[in-house]
Amino acid sequence: MTHAQTLDLRTQALSNALAAAGVPVPTVLVVEEAASTNTELAALVDGSDPQWRETSVLVARHQSAGRGRIDRSWDVLPNSSFTFSLHIELDFEPQAFTWVPLAVGAILAEELGEALGVDVGVKWPNDLVVRNAGPELEGWLSMRKVGGILVQRVGTRSVIVGVGINATQDAEQLPVPTATSLALALGERQSSGLGDGNELLAGLIVRIINSLRLLERAGGDPGVSGLHDRCVAQSVTLGTSVRAELTDGTILFGMATGLAADGGLIVAGGDGEELVVTSGDVYHLRLH
């Protein structure tokens, strides 16, 4: 059984919704299909048309070869997900860019909670999860992944923020048991909550732009901008016992206690020694 509702994302409708929200984006394009919105937007930014080098958004109704963190695939059914990439210039020091994916995760969790009433948090570093979405599963507890974020640098002062959020899928359409969708989280409220998707997507894009501009005005300082506290507030990882599997094969066990200056995850081992995890997979073992 599948949900009757699908998204109906359109270029003009999305542009109008962005303008109505007070943050008009100069270049917006909704395409029927893209292999990866991040890859294709990066090519447009690097191309001969200067309009893409301003703030710009590329949305795909169907993404056929999307990429997640550590080059993992992210594939979706047509018209079932919010799959988009935002190009934006940010004037702050290079070290501050490590906070962009963390900040975007917190921002999106806030917006989805306020717009839809869905209890979304962030599993470090960049997984959007719905809390209390099902029985406990190893590494995920009762959380289920509803979306993910992939940020890539373009040149010295630009980033492309790629976002994928499961929207209308039912349980049978999800690829793994640790996944969920906004429709499943909303239940009977889904039709009124998601609509055709254009207004909700505009709200997500506006929230990202405004918050990254806030970080920019603070000189890239997450503390001064308030984004550090917002990342902590939206984290479902802090305060839990975790197993961290690093990209070099190292496995760490400990308590996730905080965020380091570069956004890395501080893990306190049983001997009290604190280590900072900057990349890898983090699995939740139990609540503290």
Side-chain angles (χ1 to χ4, degrees), residues 73-84:
S73 62
W74 180 277
D75 299 331
V76 298
L77 296 169
N79 301 311
S80 67
S81 298
F82 295 109
T83 309
F84 67 97

Side-chain angles (χ1 to χ4, degrees), residues 33-59:
E33 182 173 344
S36 161
T37 56
N38 264 29
T39 300
E40 296 194 15
L41 182 54
L44 289 167
V45 170
D46 193 43
S48 60
D49 190 341
Q51 68 176 337
W52 290 102
R53 292 193 281 275
E54 305 296 325
T55 302
S56 52
V57 173
L58 179 66
V59 182

Side-chain angles (χ1 to χ4, degrees), residues 123 136-141 143 178 243 282-285:
K123 178 178 173 288
E136 290 200 359
L137 295 175
E138 183 179 359
W140 291 81
L141 302 179
M143 300 173 293
T178 54
R243 181 181 78 250
V282 171
Y283 298 95
H284 292 215
L285 303 180

Side-chain angles (χ1 to χ4, degrees), residues 9 13 90 136 157 240 249 280:
L9 302 175
L90 297 169
E136 290 200 359
R157 296 198 177 276
T240 67

Side-chain angles (χ1 to χ4, degrees), residues 85-129:
S85 294
L86 162 71
H87 170 255
I88 185 170
E89 288 191 344
L90 297 169
D91 186 13
F92 47 61
E93 294 303 312
Q95 61 268 25
F97 282 91
T98 60
W99 278 92
V100 172
L102 298 173
V104 170
I107 292 158
L108 293 175
E110 290 175 353
E111 178 65 18
L112 291 170
E114 294 171 13
L116 299 177
V118 176
D119 190 7
V120 177
V122 182
K123 178 178 173 288
W124 189 93
N126 61 355
D127 285 336
L128 294 169
V129 298

Side-chain angles (χ1 to χ4, degrees), residues 20 24 30-31 40 43 59 66 68-69 74 101 111-112 135 146 162 173 180 182 184 220 227 229 249 252-253 279:
V30 178
V31 298
E40 296 194 15
V59 182
R69 194 169 52 88
W74 180 277
E111 178 65 18
L112 291 170
V146 74
Q173 296 171 324
T180 190
L182 295 176
L184 289 171
L227 284 167
D229 290 345
L252 303 175
F253 292 89
S279 64

